[in-house]
Amino acid sequence: MASESKKTLPELWIEEARICFGGSNNMPGVAGITPPYGEDKLQNTRSAEAHAKEKIAADIYGLYGTPGDAYDAIKEKAPAKAGPFWWLLNHNDVAGASDLLRETTGSIIHPFDDGVFHRRNFMKRGRKGGFRFFVSDPKNLKAYVQLEQEMIWWLASGWHEPLEALGARMPAGIRKHPAPGHLTVTINEQMISIEASNDVRFSGAIKDMERRIMTVMNDWRVARLDRAWENYLAKLARASGLKKV
């Protein structure tokens, strides 16, 4: 690339960084595959957001439950106790209803805890037969779900600052929040180094993140550079009159 380009090597390296982190018309960059972005239909901002909202709601409601859910849980294990439970709840005896629920199912019903149970047990979501926190005020639970859904783009927005500094393409979701991130560029006689960093606190805990980054860097981008190399060799062959065998 350097031998054929009128650009300097630092300019080419910065251009590569723009493509690898911000993507191009033909390839998503690291920012474009950071959750909630993903492959295939999750490249679309609206689809990615809708998918993430559904997942967040399912995760939270997998740990918590509504009064109706609690009633169903009691009815499944001890049908005769479902009616008394509902009567206690409707007469504002939440403590009595909770005692009956615990006795029957091992779970409790209590006013919503502002998401404490969710934050402590996030990685346990979806487990079958585990303890479930039923809330007596489902409107507050619903409000919490909506609040969590509003933060969907926080992780992806950690690429905003480095992409902006690079002048790179910026997927729509990256602009949603003022999340932390930074760009470090080192150009001297010994090295050319560009480091784009997503500084969102939990970014390093995203299990699938390394695979996503490696897919962009080592698969998609390398494949395109390999094709560019083959085209370059073919051009040299034509210019020299030699045939490739």
Side-chain angles (χ1 to χ4, degrees), residues 71-92:
Y71 175 86
D72 291 340
I74 290 181
K75 191 173 182 180
E76 182 180 344
K77 290 183 176 292
K81 294 183 179 181
F85 165 81
W86 200 250
W87 188 91
L88 289 169
L89 201 60
N90 284 338
H91 287 78
N92 297 318

Side-chain angles (χ1 to χ4, degrees), residues 8-219:
T8 65
L9 196 56
E11 287 173 335
L12 287 173
W13 203 237
I14 289 172
E15 190 173 89
E16 276 301 300
R18 289 191 187 113
I19 294 172
C20 285
F21 286 100
S24 66
N25 291 332
N26 300 313
M27 184 197 85
V30 171
I33 49 82
T34 296
Y37 282 125
E39 298 178 39
D40 301 324
K41 70 175 183 178
L42 297 185
Q43 279 295 291
N44 178 276
T45 303
R46 287 186 179 179
S47 296
E49 183 170 312
H51 177 264
K53 282 185 175 181
E54 289 176 7
K55 187 174 186 303
I56 286 171
D59 286 347
I60 295 174
Y61 282 116
L63 292 169
Y64 292 91
T66 65
D69 295 329
Y71 175 86
D72 291 340
I74 290 181
K75 191 173 182 180
E76 182 180 344
K77 290 183 176 292
K81 294 183 179 181
F85 165 81
W86 200 250
W87 188 91
L88 289 169
L89 201 60
N90 284 338
H91 287 78
N92 297 318
D93 188 355
V94 177
S98 185
D99 288 342
L100 189 57
L101 180 63
R102 183 190 289 273
E103 177 188 319
T104 309
T105 68
S107 295
I108 63 170
I109 188 164
H110 191 271
F112 183 57
D113 64 350
D114 295 325
V116 173
F117 184 64
H118 173 228
R119 291 188 290 275
R120 288 177 179 172
N121 296 275
F122 179 71
M123 300 308 294
K124 299 178 183 178
R125 64 197 186 280
R127 290 185 181 177
K128 298 290 186 181
F131 177 86
R132 196 172 179 194
F133 187 142
F134 296 95
V135 301
S136 56
D137 48 354
K139 287 184 178 179
N140 290 339
L141 174 60
K142 183 178 180 180
Y144 176 74
V145 171
Q146 292 172 341
L147 187 64
E148 287 292 296
Q149 289 174 331
E150 288 176 6
M151 299 304 293
I152 283 171
W153 292 101
W154 183 256
L155 175 63
S157 293
W159 296 116
H160 183 280
E161 187 173 327
L163 291 186
E164 190 169 56
L166 280 169
R169 179 177 175 270
M170 199 173 302
I174 308 302
R175 306 174 189 272
K176 297 283 186 177
H177 298 289
H182 75 273
L183 181 76
T184 302
V185 178
T186 303
I187 299 175
N188 54 42
E189 292 182 359
Q190 285 75 41
M191 68 185 299
I192 301 173
S193 171
I194 300 174
E195 176 188 310
S197 177
N198 185 322
D199 298 333
V200 169
R201 179 177 53 82
F202 57 86
S203 60
I206 304 301
K207 186 185 299 184
D208 198 36
M209 200 61 222
E210 184 175 352
R211 182 195 66 81
R212 292 172 185 243
I213 293 173
M214 291 301 102
T215 297
V216 172
M217 301 289 190
N218 295 345
D219 295 340

